[in-house]
Amino acid sequence: MNRRDFNQLMAVGAAGILLPTLPAYSRTVTAEELMEPGLDVSIKKRLADAALNAATAKGATYADVRIGRYLNQYVMTREDKVQNIINTESFGVGVRVIANGCWGFAAIGDTQSEEAVARTAEKAVAFAKAHAKLLKKPVQLAPQKGFGEVSWKTPVQKNSFEIPVKEKTDLLLSVNGAALANGADFVNSVLFMINEQKYFASTDGSYIDQDVHRIWPNFTVTAVDKASGLMATRDSLSAPMGRSYDYLQSAPADRLTGVTTRYNKGYDMLEDATAAAKQARLKLKAKTVEAGKYDLVLDPSHTYLTIHESVGHATELDRVLGYEANLAGTSFATIDKWQSKNFNYGSKEVNFFADKTQPGSLGDVGWDDEGVKTKQWDIIKDGILVNYQAIRDQVHMLGETESQGCCYADSWSTVQFQRMANISLAPGKERLTVDEMIKDVKKGIYIIGDGSYSIDQQRYNFQFGGQLFYEIKDGQIAGMLRDVAYQSNTQEFWNSCVKVCDERDFRLGGTFFDGKGQPAQINSVSHGSSTARFNGVNVLNTSRKI
C-alpha cells in the first residue's frame, strides 16, 4: 500500500477514533506556562513501553511511539502597536505500527495514562490489520539498530521563552520605529519561536529524547510615493534558524558588508529595518529593468528559495515516484534519469548535498522521527543526479539498506513521512569573493533576498523575483533596478551556473512553513549556498502590461 492509499484509509479510520474524544491538539497558554518543564523522561519511557508492549502483544511486528510537547509563541506588531501575542501548547502520544505487513496509526492527546496509551497502540494494530486486507505489497522497512537511551538538544545560549514578552515587543516596536524614522510608511514585524520536545521509542530498542528550538524574526516595510501611486516593499534579510533567542545577538563577524549588509550566524533586526526603509524608498526611484538576457549573481538570501523549489522538492523520492503530489506536484527528476548515471541536472560547478546535521539549520536534529541517526549525503555530484531523499520504507527502491533519516511529523497527532532535508549548494572549491565574481560580469543583475515565485507541477519551468536588484555594468554595480524576475527551467538554470563563491560566503536561508501531504503538514527546512553566478538567464519586466 502506498502512502496515498494509507492516508486515505487512515483519515476515515482516525475520524472514527478521535472524534468522540477529540484531543486538544493545541491550546492557548500563558507565557509563563511555556516555561514549565515537560514530563520527566522516566514517565515518557514508561508510557512508551506501555504502547510498545501492547502493540507487540496484539501482533505488531514493528512499533514506534512519539510523545510530543509542542510549544509556540508568536509576537506580532504593526507601526506603534502590538497586534497580537499567541502562546500555544500541544501534548500527546502517537503510535505507529506494522501488523500483517501494513502500517497502522492512532494518537491520543493530553494523557499520562499507561492504560490509555496501550489502548491507543491496540487501535493502531487493529487499523493495520483491517487495512492489510487491501494490501498489495507488504511494507519493506530498512533495518535500524536501537540506540538505547540517548538525547539531543539544539545548542541554546538564550532560550526564547525565557525572554520576557515585554522585551520582545519593545524590540519589535523599536524595529518599527527605526523603519518609520527612515522612510517607511508602513511596517509590520513578527517573532516566531518554536520548541519541540519530542520523545521517540521503538521496538528496535531506541529511546530518544530531543529538545528542538527554532526562531524566525522578520518584518516587511512599505514605502509609498503619493505623487505617482507607486508602492515598494522590502522584507527582512533574516533567515529562520534552528537557534533560539541568541540568533538576535549579532557580532561584527556575523555581518557581510557590500551593497547592503547581509547576515550569517547573528542577526541585527534594528539595523536591517533601518536599511530596509531607506532601500524601499530607493526602489521607488529605481530604473525599471529592460527585459532580456543577463548574467545573474545571486546572494544566498535569494538562492535558498530557488534551491527549495527546483532541487529540494524535485528530489523527494515520493514525488519522483508519483506517490505524493500535494502542494508541490511530482517531479521531472524521474528514476530513469538517476539510473542513467549521466543526467546533467546542472553544470560541473553544481554540487548539492542533503544534511540533517548542519549546525543552526532548521532541520538540525540528532535522530529523525523513525529513530534514524541523521547524516549528510550527496544529491547532485559534479552536476549529475546521484541520489534522492528517502526513508526506511522507501530506500529499498533505490537498492539501499539504510534510511537517509529524513522522516518527520509536525505533531504527535500526525503520521511521520518523508520530508525535505536541508538541501544545500556546496561552496566553490576555488577562493572567490562576491566582489571578484561581480568584477567579471559585463551585463548582469545582482539579486538579494527572496520574492515572488512560481513553478510548475513537475518542478521544472519556473519564475523567481527578489527583494533587491542591482544592475552590473562592466564589472561595477551601476545602481538599483526594479520590476525584475527571471525565468528558466530547472535543468537549463543549474547548467548555466558557472561560478560559486567559496565557503567564506556560505550562508543558510530557509522556510518555517514548508507544506506537504494530505492532510497537510508543515516542515521547517534550511538551504545553504554561497553567492553563485548564472550566465545568460532570461529576465522579465514584471511591470510590463499587455
Side-chain angles (χ1 to χ4, degrees), residues 94 246 279 329 490:
D246 39 280
Q279 289 166 347
T490 296

Side-chain angles (χ1 to χ4, degrees), residues 35 42 71 75 129 148 196 240 250 254 313 358 388 399 424 459 489 517:
M35 286 302 302
S42 63
L71 307 175
V75 181
K129 290 182 176 178
E196 295 182 351
S250 75
D254 297 323
H313 279 309
Q358 277 176 303
Y388 297 104
S424 297
R459 310 278 101 191
N489 71 57

Side-chain angles (χ1 to χ4, degrees), residues 399-471:
E400 298 181 10
T401 58
E402 182 180 297
S403 168
Q404 294 156 339
C406 50
C407 195
Y408 176 78
D410 65 356
S411 164
W412 54 268
S413 63
T414 53
V415 183
Q416 60 268 58
F417 69 115
Q418 191 251 297
R419 297 309 308 268
M420 194 188 301
N422 301 311
I423 304 290
S424 297
L425 175 66
K429 294 169 186 169
E430 306 293 331
R431 287 179 68 83
L432 182 67
T433 66
V434 176
D435 288 344
E436 289 167 341
M437 178 179 281
I438 289 174
K439 195 167 61 178
D440 291 336
V441 176
K442 297 286 185 190
K443 176 191 175 187
I445 302 174
Y446 182 26
I447 303 179
I448 297 171
D450 62 346
S452 63
Y453 68 97
S454 176
I455 190 165
D456 69 24
Q457 290 292 293
Q458 280 70 53
R459 310 278 101 191
Y460 198 60
N461 298 292
F462 62 67
Q463 179 176 313
F464 288 91
Q467 292 295 317
L468 296 167
F469 311 100
Y470 294 94
E471 183 178 20

